[in-house]
Each structure stands twice: as structure tokens, then as C-alpha cells.
Amino acid sequence: MQDNSQPFYQLTPDTVMDAVESRGYLCDGRILALNSYENRVYQVGIEDETPLIAKFYRPNRWSDEQILEEHQLCFELDEQELPVVAPLRDEQGESLFQFQDYRFSLYPRRGGRAPELGDPDHLYRLGQTLGRFHLVGQARPFQSRPALDIQTYGLNSIELIGRDFIPSSLREAYLSLTSDLIASIERCYAAAGDVRQIRVHGDCHGGNILWRDDTPNFVDFDDARMAPAVQDLWMLLTGDDRQQQQLQLAEVVEGYNEFADFDPRELHLVEALRTLRMLHYSAWLARRWEDPAFPRNFTWFNTERYWGEHILQLREQLSAMQEPPLQLL
């Protein structure tokens, strides 16, 4: 259970500005809380300069070493002139800072809009960029950051929800269904075989991509993990129409293959990874439910209706994993 007395939940605008000024900047008093729940993120005005983005890390989620591995991946990508928003470093090369009880980092502000995932040109450019990303990501593994796997995203999530959150009237149905889901996920992984695990963005949806000057700028590597390359591709495929997703996949992979070789065996994992994400998302909300920001912003969570709909969605995923995987055209 989270402790509401932790300073993280009592972060004030004055403390945010004091933290930024501790790094040698002069704030102009303007501060805007941005849409972030896992961490706390603010746009902070700087005297006579462009505003900065200040990210304050949730306690007890990542170790310093794990945060710095995320930063290092961003620096490696930036050194290859890839469009990422990397944290700022001070004169000593440090990018993770401490102020009072808070760990934080600073980022340049980068504007842009979400990519048009129905636009073949956008998908092709995204594929090109991710191909280049993954060349860097496969150069070496994370040493401290965990992998996206069945245990952490699936089994651990099911255990928490089944024990503490699912209504008693739905518990038997949930546990029976999730047992079948895990078996199906394992079959998908077996069909894919020994695919390569690399450093990936991990949360590569349209909200973490800023389209600007015909270029996708990737932000928020907070969920970077070791995972198959397809983890960064499948969320770009939108809609429920299989033919549409096939066409989208073709554009993404064509761009990707200009710089890296996509392993088509990983397509067996698309619906398995989607299912793991759904299980993990519900467990994430559950784990954060003692954070006052969560009941306030996710009012629909942890209701009988929510869990009933969640079970229906999971049943659809069980069916989806029985279908043949997407194919490269």
C-alpha cells in the first residue's frame, strides 16, 4: 500500500520551482502541471529562456541505476541524431538530481502533435525511426531494468487483482479466464520461438510521439525495458479491422527494414503483448489506488461495471490469440 504522507503526494509549486532553481535556473513563476500520473511532470517558466519540463520520479518504483539506464539509452539515441527528447545534463554530465526528498530530471520543452496513424507516410516514417532506434537498442542490454515478460506483466498482475480487487461475484470467472489467457500467451511465445530481447521504448503509443517538421519526436522512456522489437510496433496498428492492420503493418515494417531486420516470428506475439498490457494496466491502477490522484482521475476504476467490462475485453483477447497472426504482405 502507498503511504499518502510521502512528500511525493504533497509536491507544491514552490518546491518544484525551488528544485529547478537548485540547478542554476531562475524561474519566472509560471508553472503548469502536465498530464502524468506515474510521475509528476511540470512545465516551468524560466526567466528570458524557453520553459523547461521538470519530471519528479515516483518513490520506490525505479532505482537510481534503472533511471540512469533510461537516460543513457536516450543519450545514445541522441548521439545518433535520432529524434528523442533526452534529459538535460549539467556540466558534470549528471542528469538525475536530488532536491530534499525528491529525485528529478529536466528536459527541453518540445512541441508537436500526435502522429496520424492512419496516414501511410506517417507509419512509414515511424517504421524508419524505430528501425534506427532498435539498432541502438540491440547494441547492449539493460543491466538493471527488468524485462517485459509473462511473470511481471501477467501472473503478478492477476495475483494482485484476484486477491484484492476483483468483486467476489466475478472472482471465479476472472481466475478461470486468466488461467486460460496465460496458457494462450505461453503458446504464442512458443510459436514465436527464441526471439531477440532488446532495449525498447516500451510504451510506444501516439501520446508519446510528437510530430513536428515531418519528424516523429519520441518522449517519455519511463517504461523502457528489455522486450521483443515488436513491442514498439504493435501499438501503431489501430482499429479492429484485420485488413487495415495488415496494411498499416506493411508500411511500418517497410520503413523499419530500411535500417534493421524485423523478425516476422515476432508477429505471433502481437495479441499476447496486447493482452499482457491490458492485465498490467489494471494492476497498475490497483497498485496506485492509494495515491489520491488516481481515485480523483480514474473514477470509473474498481467498480463492478469496470470489472465486468474488463472480463469481456479479456475474453475478446482470448479469441484474438486463437486467430492466425498478422502476416507481412
Side-chain angles (χ1 to χ4, degrees), residues 46-94:
I46 304 298
E47 287 283 355
D48 301 321
E49 295 184 36
T50 302
L52 294 176
I53 304 300
K55 175 180 178 179
F56 291 78
Y57 293 93
R58 178 177 292 274
N60 305 318
R61 179 169 186 249
W62 295 125
S63 67
D64 288 356
E65 292 77 15
Q66 290 168 330
I67 293 173
L68 291 172
E69 280 196 326
E70 171 206 335
H71 290 188
Q72 181 58 37
L73 174 59
C74 291
F75 298 144
E76 291 175 33
L77 294 169
D78 186 58
E79 288 166 4
Q80 296 300 316
E81 299 183 346
L82 282 157
V84 300
V85 181
L88 299 173
R89 289 183 275 193
D90 64 14
E91 293 180 354
Q92 290 73 44
E94 300 295 327

Side-chain angles (χ1 to χ4, degrees), residues 161 165-175 177-178 181 278 282 300-317:
I161 297 303
F165 283 86
I166 200 78
S168 58
S169 60
L170 298 173
R171 187 172 185 273
E172 184 177 350
Y174 176 80
L175 293 179
L177 173 59
T178 52
L181 283 171
M278 292 168 64
S282 287
W300 38 263
F301 176 72
N302 205 28
T303 63
E304 186 105 8
R305 179 178 178 180
Y306 169 80
W307 290 116
E309 292 176 350
H310 182 58
I311 288 173
L312 287 176
Q313 291 169 347
L314 292 178
R315 283 179 177 150
E316 291 175 359
Q317 282 305 113

Side-chain angles (χ1 to χ4, degrees), residues 243-296:
Q243 183 177 6
Q244 180 185 7
Q245 289 193 8
Q246 287 276 185
L247 294 172
Q248 293 172 329
L249 176 67
E251 293 292 342
V252 173
V253 172
E254 184 179 356
Y256 188 95
N257 282 339
E258 287 194 14
F259 297 97
D261 293 325
F262 178 72
D263 184 349
R265 295 180 303 161
E266 295 188 21
L267 295 175
H268 287 281
L269 300 177
V270 170
E271 294 304 331
L273 289 168
R274 192 192 311 275
T275 306
L276 288 172
R277 181 177 176 85
M278 292 168 64
L279 293 168
H280 182 260
Y281 180 72
S282 287
W284 172 67
L285 291 172
R287 291 186 180 100
R288 302 293 181 248
W289 205 235
E290 294 299 319
D291 179 340
F294 279 71
R296 185 168 61 245

Side-chain angles (χ1 to χ4, degrees), residues 4-72:
N4 290 353
S5 68
Q6 288 187 64
F8 184 62
Y9 306 127
Q10 301 164 6
L11 192 57
T12 66
D14 284 343
T15 303
V16 170
M17 289 187 287
D18 287 345
V20 172
E21 292 191 336
S22 75
R23 305 314 306 165
Y25 298 94
L26 181 60
C27 298
D28 64 11
R30 295 176 298 161
I31 183 170
L32 175 66
L34 301 182
N35 186 26
S36 176
Y37 301 106
E38 183 63 13
N39 302 295
R40 297 294 187 264
V41 183
Y42 304 88
Q43 179 177 294
V44 181
I46 304 298
E47 287 283 355
D48 301 321
E49 295 184 36
T50 302
L52 294 176
I53 304 300
K55 175 180 178 179
F56 291 78
Y57 293 93
R58 178 177 292 274
N60 305 318
R61 179 169 186 249
W62 295 125
S63 67
D64 288 356
E65 292 77 15
Q66 290 168 330
I67 293 173
L68 291 172
E69 280 196 326
E70 171 206 335
H71 290 188
Q72 181 58 37

